[in-house]
Amino acid sequence: MFAKRTQWNLTPNRLSEALAAHRAAGKPLIDLTVSNPTECGLVYDREAILGALRNPEALRYEPNAKGLEPARQAVVEYYAERGAKVGVEDILLTTSTSEAYSYVFRTLCDPGDEILIPSPSYPLFDFLADIQDVKLVRYPLLYDHGWLIDFHALEQAITPRTRGVIVVHPNNPTGHFVKPVEMGRLNAICSARGFAIIADEVFLDFAHDPETHPVSFAANPAALTFALSGLSKISGLPQMKAAWLVASGPQERKREALARLELIADTYLSMNAPVQLALPVFLQQRSAFQKQLLSRVRRNLAELDRLLAQQKPCSRLELEAGWYAVLRVPATRSDEELALDLLSAQGIYLHPGHFYDFQADGFLVVSLISPEPQFARGFADLLGSFN
Ligand SMILES: Cc1ncc(COP(=O)(O)O)c(C=O)c1O
């Protein structure tokens, strides 16, 4: 009765089962995977956010496939502040970056066509690709005092069915930016072969060093490019369901891509009016949100480093940005077994590296946005368990 594309193994994995049982038994839990910014004690401007949703203009229905112009104009200004000049006509609003991915996959790929994705990376890609009948092909990132794209492997992964390359800038969970020299190489590969670049920039504003000013892909002239971002991370408002894609690249390619995307968007018209009208105010919230979030990330990272300096078995990988850190721990068992043991013995919940496609055991991924006392206690207990 059902399509093959939905023939997923829907049984919960051992770790989620163990977590549900742990919670149901009411046992104490330190969750070091927290990624919901609305649930970690950050302060939001309630009046401004709720007030923005009361715009009387929302009583009118004014469909616009790309999204209401004042909302797109606010996105133009967001990029202008980052030094990227994008046109209001090059932006298309979506309810999430996931939806933006699906529009882009639909625009680029016939069933079975291939998109290159970084490994390790964000676990949602598999489902997004399955739903759109896209085949993902992984290209490795190499770690050597920081992360690099393995361009040799990336080129080896190209086939006649390749349509595009995804970069996550900065990547989740490795927390590294695509470097300008890597952008140049990607542009050369993609423009020569007619591939698109899909750049997920949801964490672009979260460089840990305030002196780092990463370049966005939003105004990339060399190859057809879709830069994706949204309010979930930028303003810490995932519940508002507002994101966008920005198309750039050679004029003719870009124009054609936008015309196709606009028709897809027009078929769904999935953005609602109140959120689009509120989007300029939601975007303004970003400075207060990012300030709080980054100071928490920096404090948690400093505490993590302080604790790591007191012991030998565990270390962390270098990172530049984002909400996560990768720990390297003794690979005495599979990282799933390790996460299960930490949960049952210590009540600490972390993600094993293989959730993010780490190829070897011995990696755990932790969120840096947990409230500081919880983070410090969880880490002290975690590191203690290796001594
Ligand atoms: C790299 C990356 N892209 C996209 C998203 C999802 O964003 P959205 O809520 O806009 O779909 C996430 C969420 O964790 C993410 O880590």
Side-chain angles (χ1 to χ4, degrees), residues 19-350:
L19 178 65
H22 191 97
R23 285 201 162 115
K27 294 185 187 161
L29 178 73
I30 300 187
D31 183 353
L32 294 176
T33 70
V34 177
S35 62
N36 181 346
T38 66
E39 281 184 0
C40 54
L42 299 172
V43 181
Y44 288 87
D45 184 341
R46 294 168 56 94
E47 309 301 300
I49 293 169
L50 296 176
L53 290 168
R54 292 182 56 84
N55 189 329
E57 286 288 309
L59 293 171
R60 279 195 317 135
Y61 183 41
E62 197 192 329
N64 183 329
K66 283 184 170 172
L68 295 179
E69 196 162 324
R72 283 186 286 134
Q73 190 56 43
V75 177
V76 168
E77 282 151 27
Y78 164 75
Y79 284 103
E81 245 181 57
R82 311 198 54 90
K85 195 168 177 310
V86 305
V88 74
E89 287 310 319
D90 300 335
I91 296 169
L92 193 141
L93 302 184
T94 57
T95 55
S96 61
T97 41
S98 297
E99 189 176 63
Y101 273 117
S102 70
Y103 288 5
V104 170
F105 288 172
R106 272 328 220 187
T107 303
L108 296 174
C109 298
D110 286 318
D113 281 348
E114 297 171 3
I115 297 282
L116 303 186
I117 64 160
S119 164
S121 196
Y122 175 55
L124 201 67
F125 289 132
D126 290 305
F127 293 104
L128 285 171
D130 282 352
I131 295 166
Q132 310 303 329
D133 300 330
V134 165
K135 182 171 171 215
L136 296 179
V137 178
R138 283 161 165 84
Y139 67 88
L141 302 171
L142 299 176
Y143 184 77
D144 186 8
H145 302 287
W147 292 91
L148 311 158
I149 295 176
D150 182 342
F151 276 100
H152 175 71
L154 187 151
E155 290 189 89
Q156 298 284 305
I158 292 169
T159 76
R161 301 214 61 175
T162 308
R163 296 290 174 269
V165 181
I166 290 180
V167 287
V168 184
H169 176 55
N171 193 35
N172 170 8
T174 60
H176 75 287
F177 290 108
V178 180
K179 305 297 173 302
V181 57
E182 294 179 315
M183 281 183 168
R185 277 190 83 174
L186 268 174
N187 272 331
I189 293 170
C190 292
S191 63
R193 294 180 162 91
F195 301 161
I197 297 175
I198 303 154
D200 179 331
E201 298 186 338
V202 297
F203 291 110
L204 191 69
D205 293 350
F206 298 96
H208 297 171
D209 175 355
E211 298 309 311
T212 303
H213 302 291
V215 178
S216 167
F217 278 86
N220 183 33
L224 179 63
T225 301
F226 304 100
L228 276 40
S229 192
L231 295 183
S232 291
K233 304 292 188 281
I234 288 182
S235 296
L237 294 170
Q239 74 279 33
M240 296 305 175
K241 307 307 296 174
W244 56 82
L245 66 83
V246 186
S248 57
Q251 278 306 318
E252 197 41 40
R253 278 270 162 90
K254 180 180 84 173
R255 197 193 54 72
E256 166 114 40
L258 279 165
R260 291 170 184 239
L261 283 162
E262 188 172 350
L263 188 55
I264 295 177
D266 198 30
T267 307
Y268 294 106
L269 289 171
S270 56
M271 292 294 289
N272 68 68
V275 165
Q276 292 186 78
L277 293 165
L279 197 142
V281 172
F282 292 166
L283 259 178
Q284 276 164 16
Q285 300 302 307
R286 73 184 186 278
S287 59
F289 170 73
Q290 292 178 10
K291 210 180 278 166
Q292 291 180 71
L293 189 118
L294 276 166
S295 74
R296 177 172 291 179
V297 163
R298 289 180 189 127
R299 281 198 296 269
N300 281 339
L301 205 49
E303 176 64 6
L304 174 57
D305 287 344
R306 193 184 69 79
L307 292 168
L308 285 171
Q310 295 170 3
Q311 53 83 65
K312 282 233 161 66
C314 306
S315 57
R316 73 163 171 90
L317 303 191
E318 294 288 323
L319 78 167
E320 299 169 300
W323 298 9
Y324 306 96
V326 180
L327 287 187
R328 189 181 260 151
V329 298
T332 48
R333 61 210 125 150
S334 79
D335 54 7
E336 186 184 35
E337 291 293 337
L338 175 58
L340 283 164
D341 287 354
L342 286 168
L343 181 63
S344 66
Q346 312 268 341
I348 301 170
Y349 179 54
L350 298 120

